[in-house]
Amino acid sequence: MRNRLLFFCTFVLLLFLLPALGALAAEPRLGGTIEASVDGKLMRLPTLKTDVDAQIAGDLATVTVVQIFANPGERPLHATYLFPLQAGAAVYEMWMEVGGERIRAQIQETQQAEQTFARAQAEGRAAALLKEHRPNMFTQQIANLMPGLPVRVTLRYVQTVPKIDGAYELVVPLVVGPRFQPPSAEARIPETAAPLEPGTWSLQALPAYPPVFGLDLPAVIDEGRVSLRVEIDGGLPINAATSATHAITTRSDDARRWTIGLQQGRVIDNRDFVLRYQLAGRRTDAGLLVHRDARGGFFSLLIEPPAAPADDEVTSREMVFLLDCSGSMDGLPLRASKAFMRAALRRLRPTDSFRIIRFSDDATEFSDAPLAATPDNIARGIEYTDQLRGEGGTMMSTGIRRALETPVVVGTKRIVTFLTDGYIGNEAEILAMVHALLGDARLYALGVGTGVNRYLLDEIGRAGRGFTRYMDPTEDVDAVADELADRLQSPVLTDLSIDWNGLAVSEVMPARIPDLFAGQSIRIQGRYVAQQGAEQGQSGQGSIRIHGQSRGRAAELLLPVTLPQDADREAVALTWARAAVAEAMYQMNLPAGRYDDGTGLRPSDAELQRRVTELGLQFALVTRWTSFVAVSEQIYNATPETSATAPVPLPPVLGVTPRAYGSEAPAFVGVAGPEASTLAALVVMLLAATVAVRRRSAAVT
């Protein structure tokens, strides 16, 4: 009996130990190397460190991103890295450092840059190629990454820092979430200039999504992949700087200059970094920024709305809530969406009606017709929302059609609130649909998640003549939901126009100024020439008038401006050029033949593509059709043809479940087994049981 029991304990111990020890042997430690099968070969994947440094002056930011790629294996390889940047970022400079070389990247048309990169790769030279796939989605390709010889790539970009709900908000995206591509999605924006084949769709190509820790790879990752530092020169005393996404440290050099860092020093890149800061008082010197060089004069004008008068509007509203219930919203994002719905439904006016639409593989609606905002109907709407689940694909077009195609009741204003993470690949199709179906409705975009598709959400808010806000599901969702629900209000300033009063300005963006809400601001950007006959150093001077409607009342702002012959602030020229690129891409999303700003038919896609390409080459900007490429002088790899291409793996976006990646459950590489702590506990328990059996047997004997 004793021998049988001992044999049983040993058998159970081995049953747990052998697979677990195999898994522990195969699984790398934190910060170690990861092996994966690439093109049928087992190899170590490239590693990456990223350092971000942002310098903010007023509401203009210059950001430096340093990416350090390393090859932990024993064989040369080529690396690819999928990463995000701010959608409005003007990427104007790139450098590559390898060995003792430091090479400045050249801007080229993308097809030419790809050929330059391929030639360098075939010759065994180190090379880096930066390509834009969406305004917020880029790939960095590294050729001939050698063991023990890291490649350092430095990017620089400028952007405006928008004012949102009374505070300036800097967003540094750190991870690209997965994208769902509908099987029949039409591509309105070609990836290259190649002619289309008659009778076939040209699909919007998405870059291959890299392996993900915890899904395709073991759930082990270097938690110090990213460092981040922000310096703010506010021009006015800084009241506060906070981040709801990361623990930060702040240091005041003086009242106007603060330095912000990460409390942990380095963090994992599994969520976007968001910093909000407030200035004491109103700015008086940053309303107009100018720059002039050999390319001409450029200006950037800041407009803020006046204090809002009381909202006396009694127009009935049809409040349409459009909820993304696809697999990527499963878990925290959908729970945050439900919290918002409870807050928003309880704030409906007695004169309102409401609809609730959910979509994933298809779209369904809570009711056959808009329901009056009675207490009973609101309670039923909350009950319906609470039972929704996240599953299936993201057929966003079905939800948008259902929200906008239904005729609006006469005398009612339709306001659509769209809750989604934006994880799709057919952005152009969706934006074109919003333009075509919107009519007189307003569309408010609410991005839910820690690493959402901000490009899509921002463009939806712009096209919908509403606003875009973001909701972090890892925060106190009830408090955030209450605050965002309060934002479902009428805009403060509408029907904006500018009388330039004879000043020689041109190419002003945006062509149509959006409505402004309380706590918002917008920059109007354009080109100018000084007054004819002005001597060197003199300027064009005058006063412009900004007209609008503030909740039914006429509003006017008189603003003296000076457009000088000499001005040196290159960021103004770069942000204008990026705004011009964004305007061209915005027009490309309009339905064919649609009037853009009332001056005529919108340009053809080919004309807009030429415009974007010319801007990219003239201002050295990365766009859909212009890319940076850098090539080393030295040959590093004697046998480049035998080197495989391996992706830099990504962490899963914080707060999403495996369904976001098309998986119902994690599929780990290696042998499955208990965690180390569980394993240790099992060993102790089994050894204790064995000792107890021996003691009992001895006592019996």
Side-chain angles (χ1 to χ4, degrees):
M1 179 69 182
R2 180 184 64 183
N3 291 336
R4 288 181 185 176
L5 193 54
L6 285 172
F7 173 79
F8 174 75
C9 291
T10 303
F11 173 77
V12 172
L13 180 63
L14 290 175
L15 184 66
F16 279 97
L17 273 177
L18 290 178
L21 289 174
L24 290 175
E27 185 176 277
R29 301 179 200 170
L30 183 69
T33 58
I34 297 292
E35 287 188 343
S37 178
V38 178
D39 297 331
K41 299 179 181 179
L42 192 67
M43 66 169 55
R44 291 183 175 179
L45 297 181
T47 63
L48 173 72
K49 295 281 188 182
T50 301
D51 301 315
V52 181
D53 186 273
Q55 307 283 328
I56 303 175
D59 65 346
L60 281 178
T62 301
V63 184
T64 301
V65 179
V66 178
Q67 301 166 335
I68 303 174
F69 297 87
N71 180 353
E74 299 175 352
R75 294 174 290 180
L77 55 81
H78 314 302
T80 63
Y81 175 44
L82 178 68
F83 69 102
L85 289 176
Q86 182 67 20
V91 185
Y92 68 92
E93 188 176 353
M94 185 175 102
W95 293 81
M96 180 182 74
E97 297 173 68
V98 57
E101 298 184 76
R102 187 170 188 264
I103 305 102
R104 183 177 188 130
Q106 302 299 310
I107 195 75
Q108 297 178 357
E109 291 192 42
T110 296
Q111 287 181 317
Q112 179 186 354
E114 289 173 335
Q115 293 168 3
T116 301
F117 179 83
R119 187 164 52 249
Q121 178 174 299
E123 293 172 351
R125 303 181 193 276
L129 173 65
L130 177 66
K131 293 173 57 179
E132 175 189 310
H133 301 277
R134 303 290 188 270
N136 63 338
M137 183 191 294
F138 295 76
T139 53
Q140 185 72 262
Q141 295 173 246
I142 305 295
N144 299 305
L145 182 62
M146 306 300 291
L149 190 66
V151 172
R152 179 187 179 101
V153 178
T154 300
L155 310 176
R156 288 194 177 90
Y157 66 84
V158 294
Q159 68 166 92
T160 57
V161 183
K163 193 174 186 180
I164 299 174
D165 298 337
Y168 294 94
E169 184 173 278
L170 174 73
V171 178
V172 181
L174 294 178
V175 63
V176 174
R179 298 291 190 266
F180 174 81
Q181 181 79 4
S184 60
E186 174 191 355
R188 291 186 46 80
I189 303 176
E191 291 290 329
T192 69
L196 299 179
E197 181 180 346
T200 63
W201 292 118
S202 171
L203 296 182
Q204 300 178 67
L206 283 170
Y209 200 81
V212 177
F213 290 103
L215 295 174
D216 316 283
L217 300 172
V220 176
I221 188 172
D222 184 348
E223 292 188 350
R225 300 220 311 179
V226 177
S227 74
L228 199 143
R229 181 173 177 269
V230 181
E231 290 186 1
I232 305 174
D233 183 351
L236 292 171
I238 301 169
N239 274 346
T242 60
S243 174
T245 61
H246 292 76
I248 60 173
T249 61
T250 60
R251 187 185 77 238
S252 301
D253 301 315
D254 58 46
R256 295 184 170 129
R257 287 187 290 271
W258 285 23
T259 300
I260 290 93
L262 296 171
Q263 195 173 87
Q264 295 177 248
R266 304 189 71 90
V267 295
I268 187 174
D269 49 339
N270 64 347
R271 67 185 307 175
D272 295 343
F273 173 81
V274 180
L275 176 71
R276 289 173 62 83
Y277 62 95
Q278 292 177 310
L279 303 180
R282 293 177 59 88
R283 300 191 59 87
T284 58
D285 58 344
L288 182 70
L289 303 174
V290 293
H291 174 77
R292 185 171 175 82
D293 58 24
R295 296 167 297 194
F298 306 87
F299 70 87
S300 180
L301 174 68
L302 183 70
I303 299 178
E304 295 185 341
D311 188 359
D312 297 327
E313 185 177 344
V314 293
T315 303
S316 297
R317 303 180 303 174
E318 180 194 78
M319 304 296 290
V320 182
F321 299 97
L322 180 58
L323 279 73
D324 182 348
C325 293
S326 62
S328 64
M329 293 288 288
D330 183 49
L332 288 181
L334 192 55
R335 286 203 290 273
S337 297
K338 293 177 180 179
F340 170 83
M341 287 297 298
R342 289 190 290 270
L345 288 171
R346 288 167 180 156
R347 282 167 170 76
L348 292 178
R349 302 170 183 170
T351 56
D352 291 338
S353 61
F354 71 94
R355 299 162 58 198
I356 303 173
I357 302 169
R358 45 85 40 217
F359 71 89
S360 53
D361 290 325
D362 57 6
T364 56
E365 191 162 351
F366 168 53
S367 56
D368 295 332
L371 295 177
T374 64
D376 182 59
N377 285 338
I378 289 172
R380 289 172 52 212
I382 291 174
E383 182 180 358
Y384 168 79
T385 303
D386 283 343
Q387 56 82 35
L388 294 176
R389 296 180 56 201
E391 57 188 353
T394 313
M395 302 299 293
M396 192 175 287
S397 59
T398 62
I400 291 176
R401 287 191 182 280
R402 194 167 188 116
L404 295 177
E405 282 188 334
T406 305
V408 183
V409 176
V410 176
T412 300
K413 176 186 292 185
R414 173 174 288 168
I415 296 177
V416 180
T417 302
F418 187 10
L419 294 90
T420 180
D421 54 21
Y423 285 168
I424 61 167
N426 59 322
E427 291 99 332
E429 179 188 10
I430 294 302
L431 294 172
M433 181 178 296
V434 171
H435 282 294
L437 300 180
L438 187 68
D440 293 327
R442 291 291 191 272
L443 201 160
Y444 299 163
L446 183 55
V448 186
T450 60
V452 301
N453 186 352
R454 289 176 178 263
Y455 159 64
L456 175 66
L457 273 295
D458 287 346
E459 288 296 294
I460 285 177
R462 177 184 177 184
R465 293 176 294 171
F467 63 66
T468 303
R469 293 292 186 273
Y470 294 93
M471 185 175 185
D472 187 336
T474 65
E475 296 182 43
D476 181 346
V477 294
D478 290 325
V480 175
D482 285 341
E483 181 180 346
L484 289 174
D486 286 336
R487 290 289 165 189
L488 293 181
Q489 57 184 321
S490 302
V492 173
L493 202 58
T494 63
D495 305 312
L496 281 162
S497 64
I498 301 177
D499 179 1
W500 295 100
N501 198 23
L503 290 173
V505 302
S506 62
E507 299 181 75
V508 177
M509 265 85 58
R512 184 177 67 179
I513 305 174
D515 296 343
L516 281 177
F517 292 76
Q520 267 188 303
S521 64
I522 185 173
R523 279 207 170 271
I524 308 298
Q525 304 187 81
R527 307 191 71 161
Y528 76 89
V529 295
Q531 290 177 334
Q532 292 185 359
E535 298 177 2
Q536 185 70 20
Q538 292 183 340
S539 62
Q541 294 183 340
S543 296
I544 65 173
R545 292 180 182 272
I546 303 172
H547 302 278
Q549 292 286 318
S550 184
R551 294 185 176 172
R553 306 181 190 181
E556 184 175 296
L557 175 65
L558 182 66
L559 184 65
V561 298
T562 298
L563 301 176
Q565 284 277 20
D566 298 318
D568 186 13
R569 196 161 189 175
E570 189 180 10
V572 175
L574 294 171
T575 54
W576 172 85
R578 185 66 204 186
V581 168
E583 186 70 24
M585 301 303 288
Y586 177 80
Q587 290 193 7
M588 190 172 281
N589 287 324
L590 294 173
R594 174 85 174 255
Y595 285 80
D596 50 6
D597 58 358
T599 61
L601 293 174
R602 80 158 175 87
S604 67
D605 287 357
E607 290 173 310
L608 291 169
Q609 180 172 330
R610 281 195 297 270
R611 170 68 168 155
V612 170
T613 304
E614 290 170 358
L615 286 165
L617 295 175
Q618 183 182 7
F619 291 86
L621 297 180
V622 178
T623 70
R624 182 69 65 86
W625 298 290
T626 53
S627 299
F628 273 126
V629 62
V631 177
S632 71
E633 291 287 338
Q634 185 175 338
I635 293 176
Y636 292 94
N637 187 2
T639 57
E641 68 281 356
T642 64
S643 301
T645 298
V648 175
L650 298 182
V653 180
L654 182 67
V656 305
T657 70
R659 289 183 177 179
Y661 300 88
S663 302
E664 290 299 318
F668 299 104
V669 170
V671 182
E675 297 287 339
S677 59
T678 305
L679 179 62
L682 286 171
V683 171
V684 171
M685 291 171 60
L686 289 171
L687 288 176
T690 303
V691 170
V693 169
R694 286 178 175 174
R695 287 177 176 173
R696 187 175 300 139
S697 298
V700 171
T701 302

